[in-house]
Amino acid sequence: FGSVVTWVAMTAAQIEIPSPEILLTHDEYLLAIGGSDTFDANHALADHRTRIRWSHPAAYNRWRPSLAIPPANLSGYKEMQNGRFVDAVVFAGSVYVFTTDDIYRLSKVGGSTGYTLKSTGISSKMAYGSVLSSVSTSSGVYVLTTDGLYLFSGLQLTPVSSGLSENLFSREFF
């Protein structure tokens, strides 16, 4: 995260810095999911709770998309239509974004397109603020919520337990 430290240390005069709800890396990109940023016409704080932004590849201090042809900057964003971001995780080469309504797959295309965003068609039914933790493993993404533990395979979200109890964290559960 050496580049992230440099990015955070820059002043607003040097770069318009996103202020995301979720920040993660995916290959050579830095992704800022949700939150607010200063990308409106008047440089006023704009609310972008439904926006997924990515930096220029390997240049975490470049966030404003280029309008030049060919583009001088490959940063960009996708706008969500429904739901609020709950969590995001890198799994099986893609970024999966959990919202209050759906689970979306963000796939890297590169170049001026950057990423594509597609619904998995799986209703997440996760309340905003309900995800306590998530971890990506070779067998799927384990998501611990206030409602219990789930396993996401990329194709389905399966409850592993219902509700939280001390048994969930005991050796007997496994």
Side-chain angles (χ1 to χ4, degrees), residues 20-72:
E21 293 177 44
I22 301 167
L23 185 67
L24 59 88
T25 59
H26 182 240
D27 295 336
E28 68 275 19
Y29 293 93
L30 184 64
L31 298 167
I33 301 172
S36 58
D37 60 33
T38 58
F39 292 108
D40 75 347
N42 300 318
H43 298 282
L45 196 60
D47 184 6
H48 292 297
R49 286 188 217 148
T50 59
R51 185 169 285 183
I52 301 171
R53 302 190 70 86
W54 57 88
S55 68
H56 182 77
Y60 299 155
N61 61 340
R62 295 176 67 191
W63 290 89
R64 183 183 291 269
S66 172
L67 300 177
I69 298 174

Side-chain angles (χ1 to χ4, degrees), residues 24-27 29 31 33 52 87-98 103-109 114-118 120 135-137 140-141 152-155:
L24 59 88
T25 59
H26 182 240
D27 295 336
Y29 293 93
L31 298 167
I33 301 172
I52 301 171
D87 200 11
V89 66
V90 176
F91 172 64
S94 294
V95 176
Y96 287 90
V97 180
F98 295 82
I103 301 172
Y104 292 88
R105 181 178 177 180
L106 193 62
S107 300
K108 183 178 84 168
V109 177
Y115 283 86
T116 59
L117 181 67
K118 184 177 180 187
T120 61
V135 62
S136 181
T137 70
V141 177
F152 176 66
S153 68
L155 302 173

